[in-house]
Amino acid sequence: MRTSPVIPVLVIEDAATARPLAEALVKGGLRVLEVTLRTPAAIEAIREMKQVPGAIVGAGTVVSTDQFELVMKADAEFIVSPGLTDRLGSAITGSGVPFLPGVATAGDIMRGLDLGLEHFKFFPAETSGGLKALKALAAPFYQCKFCPTGGISAATAPEWLAFDPILCVGGSWVTPKGASMAEVETLAREASALGR
Ligand SMILES: O=C(O)C(=O)C[C@H](O)[C@H](O)COP(=O)(O)O
């Protein structure tokens, strides 16, 4: 979470585009890449992106233990999920792989604390009350760190990143549909300079 201020949330339709995409993002300064399991190409994309020097490639949208096992076979380096269940949380924390589960309420965070977790994705960030809501949640959970994701843009990211418990933000704005690799690299460079 401290490697770069923005974790690009990637939806990859064609695994053949994965490696050049990862190269463009890493060149632009974003090394931590979240490949969502929203497409059939995702597992192959993780394998492809892992070939890119400097890239740290994880799996996002992991919602079941079956998916967790699948992405571990592809050597995903971290796991992100939109929410937190005891079953999935126990399986992932037991494995030792870094895990960033989504939380939106105090109860979600407490379930995470029960599992020994203190780092969370705040999701869906904007529609769950935005920065105001996270500030209210972070007060009692002073030991926790957050990565808000969902509805964040280059324009709004700096305000989030200025809040101390936020180590990074996640977002899909760095890889807009139809963007060229040169455009992605430029967006990544701008994103990697945020909050500095
Ligand atoms: O797929 C997942 O694992 C998710 O949990 C959701 C994504 O992190 C957000 O949908 C990204 O939000 P946008 O930047 O607004 O596109």
Side-chain angles (χ1 to χ4, degrees):
M1 290 170 79
R2 293 183 198 272
T3 302
S4 55
V6 178
I7 298 181
V9 178
L10 308 170
V11 180
I12 298 180
E13 304 286 351
D14 177 3
T17 64
R19 211 187 287 209
L21 186 64
E23 282 164 356
L25 289 163
V26 171
K27 256 200 210 164
L30 299 183
R31 296 177 51 216
V32 182
L33 313 178
E34 177 187 338
V35 180
T36 62
L37 295 193
R38 296 194 200 179
T39 60
I43 297 292
E44 188 54 28
I46 292 172
R47 289 206 175 91
E48 286 291 324
M49 289 186 149
K50 284 208 61 183
Q51 310 298 316
V52 176
I56 301 168
V57 187
T61 332
V62 176
V63 299
S64 70
T65 50
D66 285 352
Q67 285 180 325
F68 171 54
E69 280 167 27
L70 201 65
V71 299
M72 290 319 287
K73 283 193 195 128
D75 292 326
E77 291 165 274
F78 62 92
I79 307 291
V80 186
S81 61
L84 176 60
T85 64
D86 291 330
R87 184 181 145 111
L88 183 62
S90 304
I92 301 178
T93 52
S95 76
V97 66
F99 178 39
L100 200 58
V103 296
T105 67
D108 293 342
I109 296 173
M110 288 168 67
R111 198 171 316 119
L113 293 176
D114 282 348
L115 290 161
L117 295 165
E118 292 186 344
H119 294 71
F120 301 101
K121 158 167 159 163
F122 177 51
F123 176 79
E126 288 293 358
T127 51
S128 299
L131 184 53
K132 205 171 161 192
L134 184 57
K135 281 187 174 171
L137 277 173
F141 300 109
Y142 56 87
Q143 71 275 53
C144 295
K145 303 292 183 201
F146 299 92
C147 171
T149 307
I152 297 178
S153 66
T156 60
E159 201 189 338
W160 288 94
L161 289 165
F163 182 47
D164 215 43
I166 295 177
L167 300 184
C168 61
V169 302
S172 60
W173 85 84
V174 187
T175 57
K177 260 206 167 110
S180 70
M181 292 306 122
E183 285 162 345
V184 168
E185 190 183 325
T186 301
L187 288 167
R189 188 158 292 119
E190 286 163 6
S192 67
L194 290 172
R196 299 252 163 86

